[in-house]
Protein backbone atom coordinates (compact mmCIF):
# COMPACT_ATOMS: atom_id res chain seq x y z
CA UNK A 1 0.00 0.00 0.00
CA UNK A 2 1.42 3.39 -1.00
CA UNK A 3 0.83 6.84 0.41
CA UNK A 4 2.47 6.76 3.84
CA UNK A 5 4.81 9.39 5.33
CA UNK A 6 7.61 7.57 7.20
CA UNK A 7 5.71 4.46 8.35
CA UNK A 8 7.16 2.88 11.49
CA UNK A 9 5.20 0.62 13.82
CA UNK A 10 2.46 -1.78 12.78
CA UNK A 11 -0.22 -3.54 14.80
CA UNK A 12 -3.02 -5.86 13.74
CA UNK A 13 -6.32 -4.67 15.20
CA UNK A 14 -9.21 -6.81 16.43
CA UNK A 15 -11.16 -6.25 13.19
CA UNK A 16 -8.27 -7.55 11.04
CA UNK A 17 -7.14 -4.15 9.78
CA UNK A 18 -3.56 -2.97 10.32
CA UNK A 19 -2.69 0.21 12.24
CA UNK A 20 0.35 2.05 10.86
CA UNK A 21 2.28 4.66 12.87
CA UNK A 22 3.19 7.45 10.45
CA UNK A 23 6.03 9.31 12.14
CA UNK A 24 6.29 12.22 9.67
CA UNK A 25 2.50 12.69 9.37
CA UNK A 26 1.87 12.59 13.16
CA UNK A 27 -0.97 10.11 12.77
CA UNK A 28 -2.01 6.49 13.07
CA UNK A 29 -3.42 5.30 9.77
CA UNK A 30 -5.18 2.05 9.04
CA UNK A 31 -5.13 -0.32 6.08
CA UNK A 32 -7.33 -3.20 5.03
CA UNK A 33 -4.87 -5.98 4.14
CA UNK A 34 -7.48 -7.93 2.17
CA UNK A 35 -8.19 -5.09 -0.27
CA UNK A 36 -4.85 -3.26 0.18
CA UNK A 37 -6.86 -0.08 0.81
CA UNK A 38 -5.73 2.88 2.91
CA UNK A 39 -8.60 3.72 5.30
CA UNK A 40 -9.36 6.85 7.34
CA UNK A 41 -6.77 7.61 10.05
CA UNK A 42 -7.51 6.49 13.60
CA UNK A 43 -5.96 9.65 15.05
CA UNK A 44 -4.05 12.53 13.45
CA UNK A 45 -2.78 14.84 16.20
CA UNK A 46 0.17 12.89 17.65
CA UNK A 47 3.84 13.84 18.02
CA UNK A 48 5.98 11.48 15.97
CA UNK A 49 4.25 8.15 16.60
CA UNK A 50 6.57 5.19 16.17
CA UNK A 51 5.78 2.10 18.25
CA UNK A 52 2.36 0.43 18.43
CA UNK A 53 1.02 -2.36 20.62
CA UNK A 54 -2.55 -3.63 20.72
CA UNK A 55 -3.67 -4.06 24.33
CA UNK A 56 -5.93 -6.95 25.46
CA UNK A 57 -8.90 -4.56 25.76
CA UNK A 58 -8.56 -3.50 22.09
CA UNK A 59 -6.98 -0.11 22.77
CA UNK A 60 -3.73 0.90 21.12
CA UNK A 61 -0.58 1.75 23.07
CA UNK A 62 1.43 4.36 21.12
CA UNK A 63 4.92 5.72 21.71
CA UNK A 64 5.11 9.34 20.58
CA UNK A 65 8.84 9.91 20.16
CA UNK A 66 8.45 13.56 19.17
CA UNK A 67 6.81 14.39 22.48
CA UNK A 68 8.34 11.82 24.82
CA UNK A 69 4.86 10.46 25.48
CA UNK A 70 3.26 7.03 25.69
CA UNK A 71 -0.47 7.26 24.90
CA UNK A 72 -3.39 4.87 25.01
CA UNK A 73 -5.75 5.43 22.08
CA UNK A 74 -9.27 4.07 21.73
CA UNK A 75 -9.29 2.68 18.19
CA UNK A 76 -13.02 3.38 17.75
CA UNK A 77 -12.99 7.02 18.89
CA UNK A 78 -9.39 8.07 18.19
CA UNK A 79 -9.13 9.53 21.70
Amino acid sequence: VKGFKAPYGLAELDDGTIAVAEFAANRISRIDPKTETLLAPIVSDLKGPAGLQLLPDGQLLVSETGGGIVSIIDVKTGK
Side-chain angles (χ1 to χ4, degrees), residues 13-40:
L13 303 178
D14 289 338
D15 65 0
T17 61
I18 307 294
V20 181
E22 287 190 78
F23 183 85
N26 294 315
R27 67 182 170 213
I28 305 296
S29 294
R30 182 170 28 196
I31 58 173
D32 181 336
K34 293 177 184 173
T35 62
E36 297 183 11
T37 304
L38 181 59
L39 306 172

PDB file of all heavy atoms in Angstrom, residues 13-40:
ATOM      1  N   LEU A  13      -5.207  -5.006  14.322  1.00  0.00           N
ATOM      2  CA  LEU A  13      -6.315  -4.667  15.201  1.00  0.00           C
ATOM      3  C   LEU A  13      -7.324  -5.807  15.254  1.00  0.00           C
ATOM      4  O   LEU A  13      -7.280  -6.735  14.441  1.00  0.00           O
ATOM      5  CB  LEU A  13      -6.981  -3.375  14.721  1.00  0.00           C
ATOM      6  CG  LEU A  13      -6.047  -2.168  14.610  1.00  0.00           C
ATOM      7  CD1 LEU A  13      -6.796  -0.961  14.070  1.00  0.00           C
ATOM      8  CD2 LEU A  13      -5.408  -1.855  15.955  1.00  0.00           C
ATOM      9  N   ASP A  14      -8.229  -5.743  16.226  1.00  0.00           N
ATOM     10  CA  ASP A  14      -9.207  -6.812  16.428  1.00  0.00           C
ATOM     11  C   ASP A  14     -10.075  -7.084  15.210  1.00  0.00           C
ATOM     12  O   ASP A  14     -10.528  -8.201  15.001  1.00  0.00           O
ATOM     13  CB  ASP A  14     -10.111  -6.489  17.621  1.00  0.00           C
ATOM     14  CG  ASP A  14      -9.375  -6.598  18.951  1.00  0.00           C
ATOM     15  OD1 ASP A  14      -8.338  -7.291  19.019  1.00  0.00           O
ATOM     16  OD2 ASP A  14      -9.844  -5.983  19.924  1.00  0.00           O
ATOM     17  N   ASP A  15     -10.311  -6.065  14.374  1.00  0.00           N
ATOM     18  CA  ASP A  15     -11.158  -6.247  13.189  1.00  0.00           C
ATOM     19  C   ASP A  15     -10.382  -6.740  11.966  1.00  0.00           C
ATOM     20  O   ASP A  15     -10.928  -6.852  10.878  1.00  0.00           O
ATOM     21  CB  ASP A  15     -11.904  -4.957  12.851  1.00  0.00           C
ATOM     22  CG  ASP A  15     -10.982  -3.818  12.443  1.00  0.00           C
ATOM     23  OD1 ASP A  15      -9.749  -3.994  12.411  1.00  0.00           O
ATOM     24  OD2 ASP A  15     -11.509  -2.723  12.156  1.00  0.00           O
ATOM     25  N   GLY A  16      -9.089  -7.028  12.143  1.00  0.00           N
ATOM     26  CA  GLY A  16      -8.272  -7.548  11.045  1.00  0.00           C
ATOM     27  C   GLY A  16      -7.562  -6.487  10.234  1.00  0.00           C
ATOM     28  O   GLY A  16      -6.734  -6.808   9.381  1.00  0.00           O
ATOM     29  N   THR A  17      -7.870  -5.208  10.478  1.00  0.00           N
ATOM     30  CA  THR A  17      -7.141  -4.150   9.782  1.00  0.00           C
ATOM     31  C   THR A  17      -5.785  -3.947  10.468  1.00  0.00           C
ATOM     32  O   THR A  17      -5.547  -4.446  11.567  1.00  0.00           O
ATOM     33  CB  THR A  17      -7.934  -2.819   9.773  1.00  0.00           C
ATOM     34  OG1 THR A  17      -8.157  -2.382  11.112  1.00  0.00           O
ATOM     35  CG2 THR A  17      -9.251  -2.971   9.034  1.00  0.00           C
ATOM     36  N   ILE A  18      -4.906  -3.214   9.808  1.00  0.00           N
ATOM     37  CA  ILE A  18      -3.565  -2.974  10.319  1.00  0.00           C
ATOM     38  C   ILE A  18      -3.405  -1.489  10.623  1.00  0.00           C
ATOM     39  O   ILE A  18      -3.647  -0.644   9.751  1.00  0.00           O
ATOM     40  CB  ILE A  18      -2.488  -3.384   9.286  1.00  0.00           C
ATOM     41  CG1 ILE A  18      -2.701  -4.836   8.818  1.00  0.00           C
ATOM     42  CG2 ILE A  18      -1.086  -3.163   9.843  1.00  0.00           C
ATOM     43  CD1 ILE A  18      -2.491  -5.875   9.871  1.00  0.00           C
ATOM     44  N   ALA A  19      -3.009  -1.174  11.856  1.00  0.00           N
ATOM     45  CA  ALA A  19      -2.690   0.206  12.238  1.00  0.00           C
ATOM     46  C   ALA A  19      -1.241   0.471  11.856  1.00  0.00           C
ATOM     47  O   ALA A  19      -0.370  -0.379  12.052  1.00  0.00           O
ATOM     48  CB  ALA A  19      -2.888   0.405  13.730  1.00  0.00           C
ATOM     49  N   VAL A  20      -0.988   1.657  11.309  1.00  0.00           N
ATOM     50  CA  VAL A  20       0.348   2.049  10.862  1.00  0.00           C
ATOM     51  C   VAL A  20       0.709   3.381  11.520  1.00  0.00           C
ATOM     52  O   VAL A  20       0.000   4.372  11.333  1.00  0.00           O
ATOM     53  CB  VAL A  20       0.412   2.207   9.327  1.00  0.00           C
ATOM     54  CG1 VAL A  20       1.820   2.590   8.887  1.00  0.00           C
ATOM     55  CG2 VAL A  20      -0.050   0.940   8.624  1.00  0.00           C
ATOM     56  N   ALA A  21       1.800   3.405  12.279  1.00  0.00           N
ATOM     57  CA  ALA A  21       2.285   4.657  12.872  1.00  0.00           C
ATOM     58  C   ALA A  21       3.037   5.425  11.792  1.00  0.00           C
ATOM     59  O   ALA A  21       4.048   4.948  11.279  1.00  0.00           O
ATOM     60  CB  ALA A  21       3.205   4.366  14.053  1.00  0.00           C
ATOM     61  N   GLU A  22       2.536   6.595  11.441  1.00  0.00           N
ATOM     62  CA  GLU A  22       3.193   7.447  10.448  1.00  0.00           C
ATOM     63  C   GLU A  22       3.918   8.576  11.175  1.00  0.00           C
ATOM     64  O   GLU A  22       3.329   9.590  11.535  1.00  0.00           O
ATOM     65  CB  GLU A  22       2.177   8.028   9.480  1.00  0.00           C
ATOM     66  CG  GLU A  22       1.630   7.023   8.503  1.00  0.00           C
ATOM     67  CD  GLU A  22       0.831   7.706   7.425  1.00  0.00           C
ATOM     68  OE1 GLU A  22       1.438   8.277   6.493  1.00  0.00           O
ATOM     69  OE2 GLU A  22      -0.404   7.680   7.533  1.00  0.00           O
ATOM     70  N   PHE A  23       5.208   8.370  11.375  1.00  0.00           N
ATOM     71  CA  PHE A  23       6.026   9.312  12.139  1.00  0.00           C
ATOM     72  C   PHE A  23       5.969  10.726  11.567  1.00  0.00           C
ATOM     73  O   PHE A  23       5.710  11.685  12.280  1.00  0.00           O
ATOM     74  CB  PHE A  23       7.470   8.808  12.182  1.00  0.00           C
ATOM     75  CG  PHE A  23       8.381   9.665  12.996  1.00  0.00           C
ATOM     76  CD1 PHE A  23       8.471   9.485  14.362  1.00  0.00           C
ATOM     77  CD2 PHE A  23       9.142  10.656  12.407  1.00  0.00           C
ATOM     78  CE1 PHE A  23       9.301  10.286  15.132  1.00  0.00           C
ATOM     79  CE2 PHE A  23       9.974  11.453  13.155  1.00  0.00           C
ATOM     80  CZ  PHE A  23      10.063  11.266  14.526  1.00  0.00           C
ATOM     81  N   ALA A  24       6.204  10.892  10.287  1.00  0.00           N
ATOM     82  CA  ALA A  24       6.286  12.225   9.668  1.00  0.00           C
ATOM     83  C   ALA A  24       4.917  12.896   9.500  1.00  0.00           C
ATOM     84  O   ALA A  24       4.839  14.108   9.369  1.00  0.00           O
ATOM     85  CB  ALA A  24       6.984  12.146   8.317  1.00  0.00           C
ATOM     86  N   ALA A  25       3.841  12.122   9.527  1.00  0.00           N
ATOM     87  CA  ALA A  25       2.499  12.689   9.372  1.00  0.00           C
ATOM     88  C   ALA A  25       1.807  12.899  10.718  1.00  0.00           C
ATOM     89  O   ALA A  25       0.704  13.432  10.764  1.00  0.00           O
ATOM     90  CB  ALA A  25       1.647  11.788   8.487  1.00  0.00           C
ATOM     91  N   ASN A  26       2.431  12.437  11.809  1.00  0.00           N
ATOM     92  CA  ASN A  26       1.874  12.588  13.163  1.00  0.00           C
ATOM     93  C   ASN A  26       0.499  11.946  13.316  1.00  0.00           C
ATOM     94  O   ASN A  26      -0.391  12.490  13.960  1.00  0.00           O
ATOM     95  CB  ASN A  26       1.824  14.068  13.567  1.00  0.00           C
ATOM     96  CG  ASN A  26       3.204  14.639  13.704  1.00  0.00           C
ATOM     97  OD1 ASN A  26       4.085  14.020  14.298  1.00  0.00           O
ATOM     98  ND2 ASN A  26       3.419  15.809  13.148  1.00  0.00           N
ATOM     99  N   ARG A  27       0.326  10.779  12.697  1.00  0.00           N
ATOM    100  CA  ARG A  27      -0.968  10.106  12.769  1.00  0.00           C
ATOM    101  C   ARG A  27      -0.803   8.596  12.805  1.00  0.00           C
ATOM    102  O   ARG A  27       0.262   8.061  12.506  1.00  0.00           O
ATOM    103  CB  ARG A  27      -1.843  10.509  11.598  1.00  0.00           C
ATOM    104  CG  ARG A  27      -1.336  10.014  10.265  1.00  0.00           C
ATOM    105  CD  ARG A  27      -2.213  10.476   9.106  1.00  0.00           C
ATOM    106  NE  ARG A  27      -1.542  10.170   7.851  1.00  0.00           N
ATOM    107  CZ  ARG A  27      -1.651  10.908   6.777  1.00  0.00           C
ATOM    108  NH1 ARG A  27      -2.400  11.988   6.771  1.00  0.00           N
ATOM    109  NH2 ARG A  27      -1.023  10.569   5.673  1.00  0.00           N
ATOM    110  N   ILE A  28      -1.899   7.947  13.175  1.00  0.00           N
ATOM    111  CA  ILE A  28      -2.006   6.491  13.070  1.00  0.00           C
ATOM    112  C   ILE A  28      -3.021   6.221  11.974  1.00  0.00           C
ATOM    113  O   ILE A  28      -4.201   6.563  12.103  1.00  0.00           O
ATOM    114  CB  ILE A  28      -2.478   5.841  14.391  1.00  0.00           C
ATOM    115  CG1 ILE A  28      -1.590   6.222  15.571  1.00  0.00           C
ATOM    116  CG2 ILE A  28      -2.575   4.322  14.229  1.00  0.00           C
ATOM    117  CD1 ILE A  28      -0.173   5.742  15.481  1.00  0.00           C
ATOM    118  N   SER A  29      -2.549   5.649  10.890  1.00  0.00           N
ATOM    119  CA  SER A  29      -3.421   5.300   9.773  1.00  0.00           C
ATOM    120  C   SER A  29      -3.830   3.840   9.902  1.00  0.00           C
ATOM    121  O   SER A  29      -3.348   3.115  10.763  1.00  0.00           O
ATOM    122  CB  SER A  29      -2.707   5.530   8.444  1.00  0.00           C
ATOM    123  OG  SER A  29      -2.475   6.906   8.266  1.00  0.00           O
ATOM    124  N   ARG A  30      -4.715   3.427   9.009  1.00  0.00           N
ATOM    125  CA  ARG A  30      -5.177   2.047   9.038  1.00  0.00           C
ATOM    126  C   ARG A  30      -5.315   1.547   7.604  1.00  0.00           C
ATOM    127  O   ARG A  30      -5.746   2.288   6.725  1.00  0.00           O
ATOM    128  CB  ARG A  30      -6.527   1.987   9.763  1.00  0.00           C
ATOM    129  CG  ARG A  30      -7.060   0.614   9.894  1.00  0.00           C
ATOM    130  CD  ARG A  30      -8.259   0.479  10.791  1.00  0.00           C
ATOM    131  NE  ARG A  30      -9.081   1.659  10.882  1.00  0.00           N
ATOM    132  CZ  ARG A  30      -9.978   1.842  11.831  1.00  0.00           C
ATOM    133  NH1 ARG A  30     -10.136   0.965  12.769  1.00  0.00           N
ATOM    134  NH2 ARG A  30     -10.713   2.919  11.839  1.00  0.00           N
ATOM    135  N   ILE A  31      -4.952   0.297   7.396  1.00  0.00           N
ATOM    136  CA  ILE A  31      -5.127  -0.317   6.083  1.00  0.00           C
ATOM    137  C   ILE A  31      -5.931  -1.598   6.217  1.00  0.00           C
ATOM    138  O   ILE A  31      -5.920  -2.253   7.261  1.00  0.00           O
ATOM    139  CB  ILE A  31      -3.780  -0.623   5.381  1.00  0.00           C
ATOM    140  CG1 ILE A  31      -2.909  -1.545   6.214  1.00  0.00           C
ATOM    141  CG2 ILE A  31      -3.040   0.649   5.049  1.00  0.00           C
ATOM    142  CD1 ILE A  31      -1.662  -2.018   5.506  1.00  0.00           C
ATOM    143  N   ASP A  32      -6.624  -1.923   5.141  1.00  0.00           N
ATOM    144  CA  ASP A  32      -7.328  -3.196   5.032  1.00  0.00           C
ATOM    145  C   ASP A  32      -6.414  -4.113   4.226  1.00  0.00           C
ATOM    146  O   ASP A  32      -6.221  -3.887   3.026  1.00  0.00           O
ATOM    147  CB  ASP A  32      -8.666  -3.004   4.331  1.00  0.00           C
ATOM    148  CG  ASP A  32      -9.456  -4.291   4.218  1.00  0.00           C
ATOM    149  OD1 ASP A  32      -8.864  -5.397   4.249  1.00  0.00           O
ATOM    150  OD2 ASP A  32     -10.689  -4.204   4.100  1.00  0.00           O
ATOM    151  N   PRO A  33      -5.822  -5.130   4.869  1.00  0.00           N
ATOM    152  CA  PRO A  33      -4.874  -5.981   4.141  1.00  0.00           C
ATOM    153  C   PRO A  33      -5.515  -6.839   3.055  1.00  0.00           C
ATOM    154  O   PRO A  33      -4.852  -7.227   2.108  1.00  0.00           O
ATOM    155  CB  PRO A  33      -4.258  -6.849   5.239  1.00  0.00           C
ATOM    156  CG  PRO A  33      -5.271  -6.874   6.324  1.00  0.00           C
ATOM    157  CD  PRO A  33      -5.979  -5.547   6.251  1.00  0.00           C
ATOM    158  N   LYS A  34      -6.808  -7.107   3.173  1.00  0.00           N
ATOM    159  CA  LYS A  34      -7.485  -7.929   2.169  1.00  0.00           C
ATOM    160  C   LYS A  34      -7.645  -7.183   0.848  1.00  0.00           C
ATOM    161  O   LYS A  34      -7.500  -7.760  -0.218  1.00  0.00           O
ATOM    162  CB  LYS A  34      -8.846  -8.387   2.685  1.00  0.00           C
ATOM    163  CG  LYS A  34      -8.744  -9.338   3.853  1.00  0.00           C
ATOM    164  CD  LYS A  34     -10.105  -9.713   4.376  1.00  0.00           C
ATOM    165  CE  LYS A  34      -9.956 -10.583   5.608  1.00  0.00           C
ATOM    166  NZ  LYS A  34     -11.243 -10.826   6.250  1.00  0.00           N
ATOM    167  N   THR A  35      -7.966  -5.878   0.941  1.00  0.00           N
ATOM    168  CA  THR A  35      -8.189  -5.086  -0.265  1.00  0.00           C
ATOM    169  C   THR A  35      -7.009  -4.166  -0.583  1.00  0.00           C
ATOM    170  O   THR A  35      -7.035  -3.478  -1.602  1.00  0.00           O
ATOM    171  CB  THR A  35      -9.448  -4.213  -0.115  1.00  0.00           C
ATOM    172  OG1 THR A  35      -9.253  -3.301   0.980  1.00  0.00           O
ATOM    173  CG2 THR A  35     -10.676  -5.066   0.138  1.00  0.00           C
ATOM    174  N   GLU A  36      -6.008  -4.146   0.321  1.00  0.00           N
ATOM    175  CA  GLU A  36      -4.847  -3.264   0.185  1.00  0.00           C
ATOM    176  C   GLU A  36      -5.281  -1.804   0.046  1.00  0.00           C
ATOM    177  O   GLU A  36      -4.748  -1.046  -0.755  1.00  0.00           O
ATOM    178  CB  GLU A  36      -3.961  -3.697  -0.972  1.00  0.00           C
ATOM    179  CG  GLU A  36      -3.363  -5.075  -0.766  1.00  0.00           C
ATOM    180  CD  GLU A  36      -2.418  -5.483  -1.874  1.00  0.00           C
ATOM    181  OE1 GLU A  36      -2.034  -4.641  -2.710  1.00  0.00           O
ATOM    182  OE2 GLU A  36      -2.058  -6.675  -1.891  1.00  0.00           O
ATOM    183  N   THR A  37      -6.279  -1.415   0.847  1.00  0.00           N
ATOM    184  CA  THR A  37      -6.856  -0.082   0.812  1.00  0.00           C
ATOM    185  C   THR A  37      -6.420   0.710   2.042  1.00  0.00           C
ATOM    186  O   THR A  37      -6.471   0.201   3.161  1.00  0.00           O
ATOM    187  CB  THR A  37      -8.393  -0.170   0.801  1.00  0.00           C
ATOM    188  OG1 THR A  37      -8.789  -0.974  -0.306  1.00  0.00           O
ATOM    189  CG2 THR A  37      -9.027   1.201   0.691  1.00  0.00           C
ATOM    190  N   LEU A  38      -6.025   1.968   1.825  1.00  0.00           N
ATOM    191  CA  LEU A  38      -5.733   2.882   2.914  1.00  0.00           C
ATOM    192  C   LEU A  38      -7.054   3.454   3.414  1.00  0.00           C
ATOM    193  O   LEU A  38      -7.819   4.033   2.648  1.00  0.00           O
ATOM    194  CB  LEU A  38      -4.810   4.002   2.419  1.00  0.00           C
ATOM    195  CG  LEU A  38      -4.374   5.058   3.414  1.00  0.00           C
ATOM    196  CD1 LEU A  38      -3.623   4.441   4.582  1.00  0.00           C
ATOM    197  CD2 LEU A  38      -3.513   6.100   2.718  1.00  0.00           C
ATOM    198  N   LEU A  39      -7.353   3.261   4.699  1.00  0.00           N
ATOM    199  CA  LEU A  39      -8.605   3.717   5.299  1.00  0.00           C
ATOM    200  C   LEU A  39      -8.387   5.040   6.030  1.00  0.00           C
ATOM    201  O   LEU A  39      -7.267   5.531   6.114  1.00  0.00           O
ATOM    202  CB  LEU A  39      -9.125   2.654   6.269  1.00  0.00           C
ATOM    203  CG  LEU A  39      -9.283   1.243   5.676  1.00  0.00           C
ATOM    204  CD1 LEU A  39      -9.601   0.240   6.769  1.00  0.00           C
ATOM    205  CD2 LEU A  39     -10.357   1.235   4.602  1.00  0.00           C
ATOM    206  N   ALA A  40      -9.454   5.595   6.583  1.00  0.00           N
ATOM    207  CA  ALA A  40      -9.360   6.852   7.336  1.00  0.00           C
ATOM    208  C   ALA A  40      -8.433   6.667   8.534  1.00  0.00           C
ATOM    209  O   ALA A  40      -8.414   5.598   9.157  1.00  0.00           O
ATOM    210  CB  ALA A  40     -10.744   7.285   7.799  1.00  0.00           C
TER     211      ALA A  40
END
